[in-house]
C-alpha cells in the first residue's frame, strides 16, 4: 500500500456547481452573456497556433495588466484562474505546520488549497454573514503564514469596509501575507467595498487577487492574477505549474481587458438585476444581506437543501450549502425571473 498524505485523504473535494442540459444554471457565479465579442474573434484567430507551447512569461498579458492597473509588470503574477494563483501564493509562503487563516464560510477552495500546500486551515466564523476581521486578526499566531480576506465574500455576498480593512492590515504582523481576494470587484460599489489595490498597493505584505472568470466572462479558459510586492511576486511566479495559462487564455484576457465598456455595460445590467432579485426575495419574506457581488445569499439554514431541490425540480440550478444557505447567481433577466417564480412557489417543508 502506498503511504498517502493523511491530511489529503481526510480532505473534502471541491464540489463544482451542477450542469444539466436544458437547465438554467445559477450555481457558479458565471457571467451569463457569453464571450465578449473581441474575445470570441481573437480565440478563433488563434486556434492555428495551439500545437505550440504558450509564452511561459505571459508577457503580453502582464504588460496589458500593468498598463490597466498602472503598476510595473514585476508586481503581477498570473495563473490558471485565481484559484491556481491562491495555490501559488500558499506554496510561496508555506512552512511545516504553517497556519492559514480565513473566514468561514468563504470560498470553498481556501481550505482545499491550504491543505494541498501542506498548511493548516484556521476557520474563523462569520458574524452576521460578514468576515469578522477582529476575530481573524486575533487568530493570527506565530505559526500563521497567510490570511485570506474575500471581499466581497463568497458565498455570503457581504463586504468588509475600508476602515475595518485598514485596521486589520495595520494589526496583522508584517511577516504574514494578507491576500485580499477581489474576484467580484467589478460588481461592487466602490463607496462600500474598498479597492485594495489603491489602498494597500505599497504594503510589503498585501497581495490582491483578481480573476477573468467572473465579470470578464472567461471562466472556461482559466486565467487570473495577483498584484503585490515584487519580492513576493517573484516566488509566486516560481510556484506556477509551467505553461498553465494557455495561449488562448492569455490572448483572450488581453482582448477582454480592451473591452471595458462592454464589461461595464454587462455589470450594470447584472447589478440592476441583483437589486431586483434582492427586493423580490425580501418581499417574499426572506431575510438576506445586501449583495456586493453577482449572486445573492439566502441564509435558509436547515431549509437550504430543500429549497435547492425545489428549484432543481423547476429547472433552475442554485448552489446549496446544506444547513447554512443557498447561493443564487444573477443570470439573464428571464433566468432570474424563472428563479423568482420558483422562490415564490416554495413553502418550507414541515419539520
Ligand atoms: C470565483 C472565485 C474565484 C475565481 O476563481 P478562478 O479560479 O479565477 O475561476 C476566486 N475567488 C473567489 C472568492 C471566487 O468566488
Amino acid at each position: 500500500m502506498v503511504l498517502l498524505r493523511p491530511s489529503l485523504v481526510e480532505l473534502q473535494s471541491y464540489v463544482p456547481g451542477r450542469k444539466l442540459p436544458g437547465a438554467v444554471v445559477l450555481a457558479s457565479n458565471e457571467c451569463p452573456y457569453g464571450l465578449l465579442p473581441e474575445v470570441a474573434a481573437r480565440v478563433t484567430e488563434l486556434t492555428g497556433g495551439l500545437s505550440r507551447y504558450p509564452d511561459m512569461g505571459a508577457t503580453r498579458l502582464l504588460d496589458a495588466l500593468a498598463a490597466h492597473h498602472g503598476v510595473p509588470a514585476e508586481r503581477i503574477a498570473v495563473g490558471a484562474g485565481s484559484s491556481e494563483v491562491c495555490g501559488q501564493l500558499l506554496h510561496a509562503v508555506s512552512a511545516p505546520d504553517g497556519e492559514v487563516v480565513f473566514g468561514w464560510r468563504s470560498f470553498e477552495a481556501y481550505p482545499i488549497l491550504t491543505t494541498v500546500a501542506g498548511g493548516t486551515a484556521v476557520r474563523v466564523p462569520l458574524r452576521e454573514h460578514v468576515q469578522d476581521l477582529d476575530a481573524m486578526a486575533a487568530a493570527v499566531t506565530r505559526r500563521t503564514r497567510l490570511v485570506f480576506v474575500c471581499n466581497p465574500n463568497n458565498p455570503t455576498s457581504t463586504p468588509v469596509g475600508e476602515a475595518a480593512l485598514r485596521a486589520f492590515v495595520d494589526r496583522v504582523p508584517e511577516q504574514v501575507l494578507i491576500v485580499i481576494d477581489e474576484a467580484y470587484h467589478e460588481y461592487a460599489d466602490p463607496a462600500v467595498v474598498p479597492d485594495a489595490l489603491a489602498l494597500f498597493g505599497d504594503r510589503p505584505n498585501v497581495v490582491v487577487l483578481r480573476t477573468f472568470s467572473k465579470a470578464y466572462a472567461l471562466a472556461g479558459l482559466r486565467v487570473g492574477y495577483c498584484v503585490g510586492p515584487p519580492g513576493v511576486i517573484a516566488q509566486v511566479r516560481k510556484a506556477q505549474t509551467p505553461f498553465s495559462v494557455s495561449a488562448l487564455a492569455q490572448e483572450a484576457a488581453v482582448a477582454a481587458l480592451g473591452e471595458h465598456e462592454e464589461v461595464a455595460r454587462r455589470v450594470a445590467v447584472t447589478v440592476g438585476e441583483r437589486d431586483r432579485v434582492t427586493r423580490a426575495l425580501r418581499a417574499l419574506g426572506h431575510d438576506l444581506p445586501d449583495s456586493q457581488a453577482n449572486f445573492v445569499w439566502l441564509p435558509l439554514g436547515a431549509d437550504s437543501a430543500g429549497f435547492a431541490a425545489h428549484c432543481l425540480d423547476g429547472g433552475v440550478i442554485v448552489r446549496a450549502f446544506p444547513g447554512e444557505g443557498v447561493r443564487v447567481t444573477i443570470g439573464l433577466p428571464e433566468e432570474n425571473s424563472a428563479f423568482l417564480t420558483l422562490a415564490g412557489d416554495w413553502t418550507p417543508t414541515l419539520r
Side-chain angles (χ1 to χ4, degrees):
M1 275 276 271
V2 173
L3 290 176
L4 298 170
R5 257 168 73 187
S7 61
L8 210 56
V9 171
E10 283 166 23
L11 184 67
Q12 249 202 321
S13 299
Y14 194 102
V15 182
R18 296 176 66 167
K19 301 267 143 87
L20 282 178
V24 169
V25 179
L26 302 180
S28 296
N29 299 348
E30 296 142 337
C31 171
Y33 297 104
L35 287 182
L36 291 158
E38 289 298 320
V39 172
R42 191 75 183 112
V43 165
T44 312
E45 227 171 76
L46 282 167
T47 49
L50 292 183
S51 51
R52 304 285 178 189
Y53 278 107
D55 170 13
M56 189 160 149
T59 327
R60 274 172 45 80
L61 177 54
L62 285 181
D63 288 347
L65 286 168
H68 182 75
H69 289 297
V71 302
E74 61 169 3
R75 293 194 44 209
I76 307 169
V78 298
S82 55
S83 310
E84 189 189 35
V85 183
C86 280
Q88 291 163 240
L89 286 158
L90 286 159
H91 284 291
V93 299
S94 83
D97 296 327
E99 291 177 353
V100 176
V101 172
F102 46 84
W104 199 250
R105 181 173 284 276
S106 186
F107 187 33
E108 113 174 80
Y110 297 154
I112 296 172
L113 295 166
T114 295
T115 306
V116 170
T120 300
V122 177
R123 295 170 175 82
V124 178
L126 305 184
R127 267 180 77 161
E128 305 280 312
H129 317 301
V130 179
Q131 289 156 105
D132 184 345
L133 292 181
D134 280 338
M136 287 166 69
V140 169
T141 69
R142 271 184 296 111
R143 290 183 299 278
T144 307
R145 307 303 288 231
L146 188 149
V147 184
F148 283 113
V149 178
C150 188
N151 206 21
N153 189 44
N154 174 8
T156 58
S157 78
T158 54
V160 288
E162 177 173 337
L165 198 55
R166 270 189 195 281
F168 175 79
V169 169
D170 286 341
R171 186 169 159 196
V172 172
E174 263 195 18
Q175 78 262 19
V176 176
L177 187 64
I178 301 172
V179 177
I180 303 178
D181 184 345
E182 297 188 335
Y184 301 97
H185 171 75
E186 294 80 4
Y187 299 102
D189 177 352
V192 178
V193 188
D195 175 345
L197 268 179
L199 223 53
F200 307 119
D202 55 347
R203 299 280 183 141
N205 65 330
V206 175
V207 166
V208 180
L209 261 182
R210 297 274 179 93
T211 182
F212 284 97
S213 295
K214 307 288 156 60
Y216 286 96
L218 280 181
L221 270 181
R222 315 303 308 129
V223 52
Y225 61 100
C226 67
V227 183
V232 175
I233 292 299
Q235 306 312 309
V236 175
R237 288 181 178 183
K238 283 186 204 164
Q240 186 189 353
T241 300
F243 305 109
S244 69
V245 184
S246 72
L248 278 186
Q250 292 182 30
E251 286 302 315
V254 172
L257 279 177
E259 287 227 66
H260 41 84
E261 278 172 29
E262 174 62 9
V263 172
R265 193 191 65 77
R266 292 171 167 200
V267 163
V269 176
T270 296
V271 166
E273 282 291 291
R274 173 187 79 199
D275 296 344
R276 175 176 79 94
V277 168
T278 302
R279 283 194 303 273
L281 289 169
R282 285 186 181 145
L284 290 171
H286 290 288
D287 179 19
L288 66 157
D290 283 334
S291 171
Q292 289 292 330
N294 67 340
F295 55 86
V296 295
W297 175 246
L298 279 168
L300 288 170
D303 287 327
S304 303
F307 181 85
H310 166 80
C311 291
L312 186 61
D313 283 344
V316 175
I317 306 176
V318 297
R319 176 76 70 96
F321 297 89
E324 295 173 60
V326 177
R327 191 191 70 197
V328 185
T329 304
I330 301 303
L332 302 171
E334 58 270 29
E335 295 175 334
N336 306 328
S337 296
F339 162 70
L340 287 173
T341 302
L342 288 166
D345 290 345
W346 180 70
T347 40
T349 39
L350 291 174
R351 280 186 305 274

